[in-house]
Amino acid sequence: MRKLAFTQAPPLAAPKIVTAARIHALDAAGSAPEAFLVIGDRIRHVGAVEACRAASAEVSALVPELIDLGDATVVPGFIDAHAHPLMLGQMMSWVDCGPDRAGSIPEIVDLLRRAAESLPEGRPIRGYGYEQRNLAERRHPTRFELDEVATDREVYLMNASGHGGVVNSYTFELYGVTRDTPNPKGGEFFRDEHGELTGELSDAACNVLTGLEGVKIGHHGPNFHLADEPEEHRRQLAAAQENFLAGGVTTIGDAQVSRREFDMYLRLAESGDLKVRVSMYLLSHLLDEAVEMGLHGQFGNEHLSFAGIKFYSDGTLGGWTAYFPDGYVGDPCRTGQLYHEPGEYTELIKRAHRVGLQTATHSQSPTALEMVIGAIEAALAERPDPDARHRIEHCGLPTPEQIERMANAGIYPVNQPQHHYNWGEGVEQAIGTPGERFNPLGEFERAGVPVTISSDAPVADPRPMEAVQAAVSRVTRRGTQLGPDDLAVSLDTALRAHTISAARALGREDDLGSIEAGKRADFAVLDRDPYETEAASLASIRVTSTWVGGERVFAR
């Protein structure tokens, strides 16, 4: 796999020696050093304080600054290998209708109605975060219920899965959607038994909301970032960045980059306001353009880089659009969808692989995963590469046989334990007992498949310690133990899954992911030691400060 070629920043400031009560380097040896030396934006030495002083004197005449973080725990900066920052920033200004705010449809309607009262006339009303199986009614709201919020402006309530939601009648009228409007390829306008629109829409049907033609990408996968003015998008991205930093996240893999997101990152970088490191995965409708422009591997600088191409194979478990050809146990009339015909998808993966591009494919159901794994196997048979690191995003329900094939093909699944934490019971209701295996991280580890965890923000908050707790405990928000204990992983594995393993998934392990000499000085400071904390309390560990390139960029 090609690696990013970065230049080392000159040591403009005095060297720093960082020490704390506990430092977990998360290197191969599992070191717990006393301190580490930072010169410029890199770590130059790891070990005892006096050894760091001696190492500093060898390369700098400046007296090093001692940064004693006291009774705190230092870990490498968390790496969120799969997230959607612009979407997170946009939704931070929406109405939170999640389980902590609303447990029923009337409560959601009340939240949205109160928000509407404070908005200028005609301004769309947007909410997010509901999961229908967590509501008292155990169903989606309808457009008629959202009509109680407003009939003179758009109302859009996004599902917690991010793959659709519900709109009011006005929204359908505005965009000309009627009971006779055909479903777009890769999406659905849901209808009741009489053929009337219910208000629910999913995946590519959301294109009626996203606006710009450049992100209406049809069967290549959905794009849910609604259009705003460029300066507003820039503000949203900056706000999202602060949210990640508050969770100790120093590097993000943006798993859904269209021209819109790319432009916003460039604007933030040009103004000097990009604090986190971002690896971008372009959506698959841009594959031909990437190949034609010669983007045949990773490139960029230490803050903004191109990593690969993002594909979709099916929908989401949370929204019941993942592909189960025999129907859902919870609704046999629903099957979900595949975004590509298997032969077409295989050719796309081969096209990317031939020029050395890493692929990252959203895939959840066993049938969809079979298409993805088979395509990667075919690409590797055509051009062997033992370090291609093709990724499967979410990878919720692989069979044991598929996991073995993933190990043989060197495939990196990128999972989100907060998904099973937030709605694991809903997956069981949707597909039955097999749902207990949702996110089988323990099975991955035993098979030799890399374990990588991320947030999928804004589907879940970018709070790595909550993800770590979910990976270690398999206990949901409602207190349900999801599946047997052997589907969980150890604390050490979970922390590495959000740091050094995530760096490998991005192709950046030479630069990031652990506290070692030569790497970027990215680290998070915690108020407690995870290794001395009960599993049920890991999510309550607070990040007190976050450092990128040896500079403190967040403090609580």
Side-chain angles (χ1 to χ4, degrees), residues 195-521:
E196 294 293 338
L197 295 166
T198 66
E200 183 188 353
L201 69 175
S202 70
D203 289 328
C206 298
N207 284 347
V208 298
L209 301 170
T210 57
L212 299 177
E213 185 67 28
V215 297
K216 290 187 177 181
I217 56 181
H219 68 284
H220 283 279
N223 185 298
F224 308 110
H225 307 169
L226 275 62
D228 278 312
E229 292 298 319
E231 188 55 35
E232 177 63 10
H233 275 317
R234 185 183 177 283
R235 186 201 64 77
Q236 292 163 353
L237 193 57
Q241 174 177 247
E242 296 303 318
N243 200 332
F244 281 100
L245 291 171
V249 175
T250 56
T251 299
I252 301 166
D254 189 325
Q256 186 158 303
V257 175
S258 69
R259 292 179 180 87
R260 179 181 288 164
E261 290 77 28
F262 197 5
D263 179 47
M264 291 307 109
Y265 281 126
L266 290 176
R267 289 172 186 257
L268 209 61
E270 287 168 1
S271 66
D273 295 319
L274 188 60
K275 302 174 186 176
V276 296
R277 308 188 194 281
V278 179
S279 292
M280 299 179 292
Y281 288 83
L282 300 181
L283 280 164
S284 58
H285 72 296
L286 298 173
L287 172 61
D288 288 344
E289 293 178 37
V291 172
E292 289 169 7
M293 287 191 297
L295 307 185
H296 297 172
Q298 295 190 350
F299 77 93
N301 62 28
E302 67 271 19
H303 275 289
L304 185 61
S305 60
F306 165 70
I309 304 292
K310 167 71 178 294
F311 294 86
Y312 282 82
S313 71
D314 69 344
T316 172
L317 287 165
W320 292 26
T321 57
Y323 185 56
F324 290 90
D326 296 326
Y328 281 78
V329 171
D331 185 351
C333 294
R334 291 199 186 193
T335 62
Q337 62 190 323
L338 286 178
Y339 272 96
H340 299 276
E341 293 298 325
E344 173 205 18
Y345 173 79
T346 297
E347 289 306 311
L348 289 169
I349 295 299
K350 284 182 175 180
R351 178 161 170 72
H353 178 74
R354 286 185 194 117
V355 297
L357 284 172
Q358 184 191 34
T359 64
T361 303
H362 168 122
S363 192
Q364 289 280 30
S365 78
T367 303
L369 284 162
E370 184 63 31
M371 181 177 78
V372 177
I373 295 167
I376 293 172
E377 290 172 334
L380 290 169
E382 181 181 277
R383 187 183 73 81
D385 182 349
D387 198 25
R389 303 192 200 183
H390 293 296
R391 293 174 30 163
I392 299 180
E393 311 305 296
H394 314 306
C395 199
L397 291 166
T399 67
E401 184 268 343
Q402 288 173 336
I403 292 173
E404 292 295 332
R405 288 164 58 198
M406 289 166 61
N408 293 334
I411 293 172
Y412 278 63
V414 178
N415 293 83
Q416 295 77 33
Q418 287 160 290
H419 286 193
H420 70 243
Y421 174 69
N422 285 323
W423 59 78
E425 296 92 345
V427 175
E428 285 189 275
Q429 294 166 14
I431 65 170
T433 302
E436 294 180 353
R437 290 183 62 254
F438 185 29
N439 288 331
L441 303 185
E443 293 183 21
F444 289 149
E445 185 171 33
R446 288 189 294 278
V449 173
V451 178
T452 303
I453 62 179
S454 61
S455 71
D456 196 21
V459 179
D461 291 330
R463 295 295 176 264
M465 290 311 303
E466 182 177 89
V468 166
Q469 176 177 308
V472 169
S473 71
R474 297 285 300 181
V475 175
T476 71
R477 183 183 289 274
R478 290 182 169 186
T480 302
Q481 174 79 36
L482 193 66
D485 290 340
D486 65 0
L487 294 175
V489 293
S490 69
L491 172 64
D492 191 68
T493 295
L495 286 172
R496 291 174 182 274
H498 227 322
T499 52
I500 186 62
S501 183
R504 292 191 188 100
L506 296 175
R508 301 191 65 172
E509 74 275 16
D510 291 345
D511 220 39
L512 307 171
S514 58
I515 296 174
E516 295 184 79
K519 293 196 174 185
R520 302 283 173 181

Side-chain angles (χ1 to χ4, degrees), residues 163-183:
H163 283 245
V166 186
V167 299
N168 64 343
S169 300
Y170 177 93
T171 302
F172 278 148
E173 294 167 6
L174 178 66
Y175 294 108
V177 179
T178 71
R179 61 176 291 158
D180 299 319
T181 300
N183 289 327

Side-chain angles (χ1 to χ4, degrees), residues 84-253:
H84 308 281
L86 182 59
M87 186 175 172
L88 172 64
Q90 189 169 71
M91 289 173 61
M92 287 169 64
S93 64
W94 293 11
V95 182
D96 182 357
C97 298
D100 294 334
R101 300 290 310 283
S104 68
I105 292 172
E107 289 174 339
I108 289 175
V109 170
D110 185 58
L111 285 172
L112 295 174
R113 186 188 292 120
R114 280 189 280 137
E117 293 171 355
S118 65
L119 289 173
E121 184 176 346
R123 178 75 61 85
I125 303 159
R126 297 168 179 169
Y128 72 95
Y130 83 97
E131 208 286 326
Q132 67 275 17
R133 287 170 295 277
N134 288 342
L135 296 175
E137 297 83 359
R138 294 187 177 274
R139 63 171 173 83
H140 294 272
T142 68
R143 64 184 172 102
F144 304 108
E145 286 163 325
L146 295 192
D147 288 346
E148 297 174 24
V149 177
T151 58
D152 61 346
R153 65 179 86 182
E154 291 180 60
V155 180
Y156 174 44
L157 176 63
M158 181 182 281
N159 183 262
S161 70
H163 283 245
V166 186
V167 299
N168 64 343
S169 300
Y170 177 93
T171 302
F172 278 148
E173 294 167 6
L174 178 66
Y175 294 108
V177 179
T178 71
R179 61 176 291 158
D180 299 319
T181 300
N183 289 327
K185 186 176 178 63
E188 184 170 357
F189 298 110
F190 289 88
R191 295 166 169 85
D192 63 19
E193 65 273 17
H194 305 297
E196 294 293 338
L197 295 166
T198 66
E200 183 188 353
L201 69 175
S202 70
D203 289 328
C206 298
N207 284 347
V208 298
L209 301 170
T210 57
L212 299 177
E213 185 67 28
V215 297
K216 290 187 177 181
I217 56 181
H219 68 284
H220 283 279
N223 185 298
F224 308 110
H225 307 169
L226 275 62
D228 278 312
E229 292 298 319
E231 188 55 35
E232 177 63 10
H233 275 317
R234 185 183 177 283
R235 186 201 64 77
Q236 292 163 353
L237 193 57
Q241 174 177 247
E242 296 303 318
N243 200 332
F244 281 100
L245 291 171
V249 175
T250 56
T251 299
I252 301 166

Side-chain angles (χ1 to χ4, degrees), residues 521-534:
D522 298 355
F523 56 95
V525 182
L526 311 179
D527 68 351
R528 275 177 286 153
D529 186 353
Y531 290 91
E532 300 296 329
T533 303
E534 293 184 357

